[in-house]
């Protein structure tokens, strides 16, 4: 019987594992192999250069700047997105406090969930068009128009949000947070609905306020969901290619401007791979992204690991 079970499990897993090996693992191995060559990406000929591409990365100022931006995103994007999503999910599920029907969310919670989740329906192209209107560098832009109306900005000298080295990175971060909060709000809301309302009602009877129930009950009971969200957002922070390449100058060269102030590893990788014809060098960047993401995911899971709370 045990032998038959083993054959069934092996037969069931053989095809998926084979497909995963061919479509995922093999391309990773190929990328690592190409990173050890001077391949141009356009010619089948290549020369083995060993670790030269990796040593060149250590002396590449633009690449180090891009890593700095990715690491900053890695800290800010998960932290701010999770905090905002947790706060809104808490208010929409238990923020209404006790009523005749017990613990409930604020009035109109179902409508607010739809509104918050709406950005998930938009593609990156729609987000780019939408926020290019928000960040337009003239009084006709939404953000500049509001500042002009409030008297906080000179209409003759509007802020060029996406062309100013001091603001472009923060503009991209704001879009990433805005686009991500809705998804994690729904994720946390689903997890909160599995928490027995009796726990919140007992806390209310003990005189706990909103802050205490949020910190002492909601976060501990949602810790595994928060941990998962953190890993997904960390992976997103190591990418951000589509948004940066579409919203920031120079147009047609995968963004990253002005003066590399919004550069991330993915945009610099693509610029080296296609326009510059340095595919081997770009593959070395891809390997670096892979190992950084892998290490950060493992570390975050280890650091945030705690005993499971049963309820």
């Amino acid at each position: 019987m045990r032998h038959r079970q083993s054959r069934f499990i092996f037969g069931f897993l053989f095809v998926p594992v084979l497909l995963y090996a061919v479509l995922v693992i093999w391309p990773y191995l190929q990328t690592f192999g190409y990173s050890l060559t001077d391949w141009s990406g356009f010619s089948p000929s290549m020369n083995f250069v060993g670790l030269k591409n990796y040593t060149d990365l250590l002396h590449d100022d633009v690449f180090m700047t891009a890593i700095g931006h990715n690491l900053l995103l890695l800290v800010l994007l998960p932290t701010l997105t999770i905090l905002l999503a947790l706060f809104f999910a808490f208010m929409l599920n238990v923020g209404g406090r006790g009523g005749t029907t017990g613990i409930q969310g604020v009035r109109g919670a179902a409508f607010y969930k739809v509104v918050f989740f709406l950005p998930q329906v938009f593609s990156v192209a729609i987000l780019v068009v939408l926020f290019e209107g928000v960040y337009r560098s003239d009084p006709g832009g939404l953000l500049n128009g509001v500042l002009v109306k409030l008297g906080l900005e000179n209409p003759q000298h509007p802020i060029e949000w996406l062309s100013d080295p001091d603001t472009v990175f923060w503009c991209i971060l704001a879009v990433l947070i805005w686009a991500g909060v809705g998804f994690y709000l729904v994720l946390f809301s689903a997890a909160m609905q599995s928490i027995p309302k009796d726990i919140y009602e007992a806390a209310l009877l003990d005189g706990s306020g909103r802050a205490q129930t949020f910190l002492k009950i909601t976060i501990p009971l949602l810790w595994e969901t928060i941990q998962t969200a953190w890993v997904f957002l960390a992976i997103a922070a190591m990418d951000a290619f589509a948004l940066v390449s579409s919203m920031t100058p120079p147009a047609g060269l995968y963004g990253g401007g002005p003066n590399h102030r919004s550069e991330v590893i993915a945009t610099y990788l693509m610029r080296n791979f296609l326009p510059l014809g340095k595919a081997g060098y770009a593959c070395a960047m891809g390997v670096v992204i892979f190992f950084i993401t892998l290490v950060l995911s493992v570390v975050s899971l280890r650091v945030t690991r705690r005993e499971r709370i049963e309820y």
Side-chain angles (χ1 to χ4, degrees), residues 172-189:
I172 295 296
L173 176 62
V175 178
L176 289 171
I177 294 173
W178 183 85
V181 165
F183 174 80
Y184 293 99
L185 180 151
V186 173
L187 179 67
F188 295 144
S189 293

Side-chain angles (χ1 to χ4, degrees), residues 101-179:
T101 58
I103 295 294
Q104 57 187 357
V106 297
R107 184 176 299 177
F111 171 75
Y112 292 134
K113 287 180 184 178
V114 173
V115 172
F116 279 115
F117 189 76
L118 189 60
Q120 293 300 312
V121 181
F122 298 152
S123 66
V124 174
I126 295 176
L127 288 178
V128 170
V129 172
L130 178 64
F131 278 91
E132 281 182 345
V134 173
Y135 293 136
R136 272 178 55 182
S137 55
D138 58 68
L142 177 62
L143 196 52
N144 279 330
V146 170
L147 293 177
V148 168
K149 291 295 184 182
L150 294 176
L152 301 176
E153 182 181 301
N154 186 345
Q156 302 302 321
H157 301 285
I159 299 174
E160 298 185 1
W161 298 99
L162 296 176
S163 299
D164 188 338
D166 295 328
T167 59
V168 61
F169 176 83
W170 305 108
C171 290
I172 295 296
L173 176 62
V175 178
L176 289 171
I177 294 173
W178 183 85

Side-chain angles (χ1 to χ4, degrees), residues 11-301:
F12 186 77
L13 294 178
F14 177 75
V15 173
V17 171
L18 179 62
L19 289 174
Y20 185 82
V22 172
L23 300 178
V24 178
I25 297 178
W26 178 242
Y28 276 123
L29 295 176
Q30 282 185 308
T31 301
F32 180 74
Y34 289 140
S35 71
L36 303 177
T37 70
D38 63 353
W39 182 41
S40 67
F42 302 102
S43 171
S45 63
M46 62 187 78
N47 299 310
F48 180 77
V49 296
L51 298 177
K52 181 179 182 301
N53 288 327
Y54 294 95
T55 56
D56 289 346
L57 287 177
L58 296 176
H59 301 91
D60 190 332
D61 293 336
V62 177
F63 179 72
M64 300 309 292
T65 298
I67 283 186
H69 290 153
N70 277 114
L71 293 179
L72 191 56
L73 284 175
L74 185 65
V75 174
L76 296 177
L77 180 60
T79 302
L80 297 176
T81 302
I82 288 175
L83 286 177
L84 286 171
L86 275 173
F87 171 75
F88 290 131
F90 179 78
M91 295 303 296
L92 295 181
N93 286 276
V94 298
R97 316 304 288 168
T100 56
T101 58
I103 295 294
Q104 57 187 357
V106 297
R107 184 176 299 177
F111 171 75
Y112 292 134
K113 287 180 184 178
V114 173
V115 172
F116 279 115
F117 189 76
L118 189 60
Q120 293 300 312
V121 181
F122 298 152
S123 66
V124 174
I126 295 176
L127 288 178
V128 170
V129 172
L130 178 64
F131 278 91
E132 281 182 345
V134 173
Y135 293 136
R136 272 178 55 182
S137 55
D138 58 68
L142 177 62
L143 196 52
N144 279 330
V146 170
L147 293 177
V148 168
K149 291 295 184 182
L150 294 176
L152 301 176
E153 182 181 301
N154 186 345
Q156 302 302 321
H157 301 285
I159 299 174
E160 298 185 1
W161 298 99
L162 296 176
S163 299
D164 188 338
D166 295 328
T167 59
V168 61
F169 176 83
W170 305 108
C171 290
I172 295 296
L173 176 62
V175 178
L176 289 171
I177 294 173
W178 183 85
V181 165
F183 174 80
Y184 293 99
L185 180 151
V186 173
L187 179 67
F188 295 144
S189 293
M192 282 183 193
Q193 289 172 5
S194 67
I195 300 175
K197 299 298 184 183
D198 297 344
I199 298 177
Y200 286 108
E201 291 172 356
L204 287 178
L205 292 175
D206 289 339
S208 298
R210 280 187 174 87
Q212 289 177 307
T213 54
F214 180 74
L215 296 174
K216 301 296 184 180
I217 297 177
T218 302
I219 290 182
L221 294 180
L222 294 185
W223 191 254
E224 290 187 355
T225 308
I226 295 172
Q227 187 183 47
T228 303
W230 191 282
V231 173
F232 283 130
L233 284 165
I235 294 172
M238 292 304 298
D239 182 12
F241 169 77
L243 198 64
V244 174
S245 63
S246 300
M247 288 190 66
T248 60
L253 289 176
Y254 304 105
N259 195 28
H260 303 292
R261 294 298 291 272
S262 63
E263 196 81 72
V264 291
I265 301 176
T267 56
Y268 192 49
L269 182 157
M270 288 302 298
R271 192 178 302 111
N272 278 274
F273 191 90
L274 290 178
L276 300 182
K278 299 167 65 176
Y281 193 54
C283 287
M285 297 183 202
V287 173
V288 171
I289 293 176
F290 169 76
F291 280 107
I292 290 177
T293 305
L294 179 64
V295 170
L296 290 173
S297 298
V298 172
V299 169
S300 63
L301 288 173

